[in-house]
């Protein structure tokens, strides 16, 4: 008598899905990925951090700056970080040894109020920015159907609590309105004098293509203090939706931030006020990954190049 044994067909993927493996949700996504590109994007392999000196360890201008005040465009403190102010007291920018408890980062940027201003006017502002070069912004593919989302993560500490605006600006300057497009995210500082980790995500800007042939690219803006001219009711964006929208003609390129009158923070109202910032990482995607550390020499070379090419450490705005 002939005995015939027939083995049922199955797919390895289906069998793996049946296993009760402690892979987590992200592990399941990788197992279910169908192409190398999809797996690569899920694993977030390769270089991730788009910005330089996010850990504030390069400071070629000296550890502490002279004070800067209204109308100042200051490049003091850690390299590549720029500070702009109008009618909001005076501050110093310095490289500081105060860092988060786990000591992952060697230094931080410290902004210290040195002359108070308790009565800000409508046009007052104080913010810090990091400006990418256009050649480093190509990967974002702004102005195309393939525009990519961006996530910014950072550590922050201050004696003040409340809402600040952390914005991503597309310095396109090449559309009909003549201004830039800005996506605004509100971030709350919860506890005084405590390091806190924050993450914000921005959608891809499909509307306006960057002018990749200038020195301007994507900009991260930490808008610390703003008068009512920079409120959520100002023209140019929808704070609640957080969409990239064109700033109205005549509004210039200033960012629209959450105002003092609407729950914001006046960091200029006391000489006791300070802000510490470190571990800033800008990366493509909708999920924040651990900070990508690089060799000191690599960070230094990039900062030195920016000084020579853009002159941004010596008062020349890129």
């Amino acid at each position: 008598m002939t005995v015939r044994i027939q083995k049922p067909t199955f797919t390895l993927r289906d069998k793996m899905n049946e296993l009760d493996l402690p892979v987590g949700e992200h592990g399941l996504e990788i197992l279910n990925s169908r192409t190398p590109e999809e797996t690569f994007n899920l694993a977030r392999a390769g270089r991730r951090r788009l910005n330089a000196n996010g850990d504030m360890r390069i400071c070629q201008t000296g550890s502490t700056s002279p004070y800067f005040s209204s109308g100042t465009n200051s490049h003091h403190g850690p390299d590549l970080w720029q500070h702009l102010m109008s009618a909001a007291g005076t501050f110093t920018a310095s490289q500081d040894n105060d860092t988060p408890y786990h000591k992952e980062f060697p230094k931080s940027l410290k902004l210290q109020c040195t002359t108070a201003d308790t009565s800000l006017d409508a046009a007052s502002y104080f913010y810090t920015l990091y400006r990418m070069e256009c050649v480093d912004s190509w990967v974002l593919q702004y102005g195309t159907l393939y525009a990519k989302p961006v996530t910014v993560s950072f550590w922050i500490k201050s004696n003040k609590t409340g809402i600040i605006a952390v914005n991503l600006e597309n310095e396109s300057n090449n559309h009909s309105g003549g201004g830039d497009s800005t996506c605004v995210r509100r971030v709350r500082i919860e506890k005084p004098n405590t390091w806190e980790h924050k993450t914000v995500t921005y959608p891809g800007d499909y509307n306006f293509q960057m002018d990749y042939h200038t020195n301007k690219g994507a900009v991260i803006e930490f808008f610390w203090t703003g008068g009512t001219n920079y409120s959520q009711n100002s023209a140019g964006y929808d704070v609640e939706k957080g969409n990239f929208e064109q700033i109205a003609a005549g509004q210039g390129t200033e960012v629209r931030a959450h105002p003092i009158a609407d729950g914001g923070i006046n960091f200029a109202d006391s000489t006791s006020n300070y802000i510490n910032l470190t571990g800033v990482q800008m990366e493509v995607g909708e999920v924040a990954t651990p900070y990508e550390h690089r060799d000191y020499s690599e960070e230094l070379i990039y900062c030195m190049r920016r000084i020579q090419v853009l002159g941004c450490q010596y008062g020349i705005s890129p």
Side-chain angles (χ1 to χ4, degrees), residues 11 52 101 167 177 297:
T11 63
Y101 61 91
N167 313 318
S297 59

Side-chain angles (χ1 to χ4, degrees), residues 55-179:
D55 57 8
M56 311 297 175
R57 58 180 163 164
I58 309 296
C59 187
Q60 300 179 78
T61 59
S63 59
T64 305
S65 73
Y67 71 86
F68 55 91
S69 57
S70 181
T72 301
N73 184 344
S74 171
H75 300 274
H76 290 90
D79 285 16
L80 310 184
W81 293 93
Q82 182 180 357
H83 319 289
L84 297 95
M85 175 183 292
S86 177
T90 63
F91 281 77
T92 58
S94 63
Q95 185 187 54
D96 198 59
N97 291 323
D98 189 0
T99 58
Y101 61 91
H102 48 62
K103 302 302 179 184
E104 180 182 359
F105 309 108
K107 299 289 184 179
S108 66
L109 161 68
K110 184 168 187 177
L111 301 169
Q112 177 74 53
C113 181
T114 56
T115 303
D117 186 347
T118 58
S119 56
L120 301 181
D121 58 34
S124 296
Y125 60 79
F126 172 35
Y127 63 101
T128 295
L129 62 82
Y130 176 94
R131 177 177 282 113
M132 292 177 61
E133 292 184 63
C134 62
V135 293
D136 294 326
S137 301
W138 276 91
V139 65
L140 303 181
Q141 297 176 270
Y142 282 178
T144 75
L145 295 176
Y146 307 98
K148 297 178 180 178
V150 169
T151 294
V152 175
S153 55
F154 57 93
W155 287 84
I156 190 169
K157 176 182 177 181
S158 176
N159 65 303
K160 303 275 282 187
T161 60
I163 295 173
I164 61 172
V166 181
N167 313 318
L168 183 64
E169 183 177 358
N170 173 1
E171 289 199 327
S172 52
N173 269 325
N174 61 354
H175 49 73
S176 59

Side-chain angles (χ1 to χ4, degrees), residues 263-282:
I265 307 173
N266 181 3
F267 283 102
D269 65 3
S270 171
T271 55
S272 298
N273 295 341
Y274 71 90
I275 305 162
N276 280 81
L277 180 71
T278 193
V280 183
Q281 176 162 283
M282 177 182 178

